[in-house]
Amino acid sequence: MSSIFNLKHYGEPLLEFGGEGRHLDVRFGLIDHGPVDFSLDRTKSLKIGVVGSSRTVDGLREWFRQCESEIAAKPSRQPNLFPAFPGIGIGGPFRCWFEIDDQHQRILSTSGISEVVRELADQESIKKAVALFLEEIRDLSQLDRPPQVIICALPIELIERVKNLQVSEDTEHESGEDEEPVDNDEPKSRLYADFRGALKAASMAMKIPIQLVWPSTYDNSAVIKRKLAKLSNRRVQDEATRAWNFFCALYYKAGGTPWRMIRDRRAYDTTYLGISFFEDLSGSSLRTSSAQLFDERGEGLILKGGTALEDKHDRHPYLSTDDAYSLLKRSLAAYKREHLNFPARLVIHKSSRFHEDEFDGLNTALEEAGVTMADFIWMPRRSPIKLVRQGDYPPLRGTAMRIDQDTSLLYTRGSVDFFATYPGMYVPNPLILRCQRRDRTEWDALLQETLALTKMNWNNTQFDGALPITMRAARQVGEILRYIPEGVDADPRYRFYM
């Protein structure tokens, strides 16, 4: 018995850069055109703060000086995959200065670092490490002219203390590149994630985004001890790639817009919402919902929702009718405050099926707002289907297969013609897109915009991300929101969660 499926390949989506310039690759687009918010009318200078030990602050500042000149490309037969970093400065890819003034640096006390390292209790050690950095971040935020971003340059001994033996079972998710720029498939320490989330949550009240950086980002000789054999084969990215990712993240966190999706002027204004769940800080089985709302410019708004229920059939979390209604109503209100109007079309992404209660609550909120076009799409974490291509390489990124009227498969990772290779380490896992509501949107448009949303990641300048930003942001958001106490409003801007 055989079946016939509809296979199609979608070309790599172009992105928009400065002067309406376009390119499919983030790095070459920035080199050729600059960031999308670049203007010849003014010179932009970004004020960067630094908190760390005397050694890490000195090392980071020295690397900044080195990055004023070009950083050579990694020797490779794929030059498009590993381009040189042209250098920071007004003629660089971001068309601005990155400045660290003496008044914007703070040195952690040696005794404070030693106290964190000597503390035997894991959670108490994390609290002390967070308090150590938070005191200096608060001091910088209270200056008459505070920095726009604060880099937390972590000392090696502190990293080794808050890096736990326990690692995540999911080794295929993309890494959080502001932790330590490494290959995408390194397991993550739960304890380190707790430190990162707690620090970002605590510093949010200062209204300045922070960027965590390891010494191995800026110092090729830095050695961080590994406690598990599983982690001993970790490979640090080449220096040019580290510079690309690091300064791109800094630019976005400072309020810049490096690139954006290209929108057809004839199309309806569309925004994209991801709904996800995370365990609360108590460690109970209860989960809390969050919403990640992104527009085509990449401006992200984050909202914390209500406590989730658990489906008695498949145990997936879901929202009650009232909580789904409330979460979407608040999301749309936040969008209206930013844009002065509601979107004409809303796309909602979720990793599990929309429960009928969620479905009713979301539809009610849309009707009240007068949003008549919506697409509800859920994407399971693992695809039960994979395609096999002749030869040594996996299917091309952008390969899609229609399974039925409401289901399609899409390869968001795969072989890339522009790179002349498959840049991953493992057999790629395609996305499965299942529509539960689809209003006037053709499958071609849904698949093309999903592919484009995988390129809206300002932590990584390699454009072949596995997940759309609506889904990718969920892990980062949950790790931080779980530390925001009930009744306290979290900052809604996505740059605080990266």
Side-chain angles (χ1 to χ4, degrees), residues 175-189:
S175 68
E177 285 80 11
D178 83 333
E179 299 171 10
E180 180 189 17
V182 296
D183 288 348
N184 284 342
D185 301 288
E186 183 191 16
K188 288 291 170 287
S189 157

Side-chain angles (χ1 to χ4, degrees), residues 194-221:
D194 288 346
F195 164 71
R196 176 183 180 274
L199 179 58
K200 292 210 171 191
S203 65
M204 202 172 287
M206 316 308 167
K207 302 297 182 184
I208 301 176
I210 65 172
Q211 175 86 358
L212 277 62
V213 62
W214 290 28
S216 50
T217 296
Y218 52 84
D219 182 358
N220 291 326
S221 65

Side-chain angles (χ1 to χ4, degrees), residues 161-190:
R161 176 61 190 91
V162 300
K163 189 82 175 169
N164 200 13
L165 294 177
Q166 186 178 2
V167 296
S168 167
E169 294 179 0
D170 179 7
T171 60
E172 285 197 354
H173 70 270
E174 295 177 78
S175 68
E177 285 80 11
D178 83 333
E179 299 171 10
E180 180 189 17
V182 296
D183 288 348
N184 284 342
D185 301 288
E186 183 191 16
K188 288 291 170 287
S189 157
R190 178 69 262 161

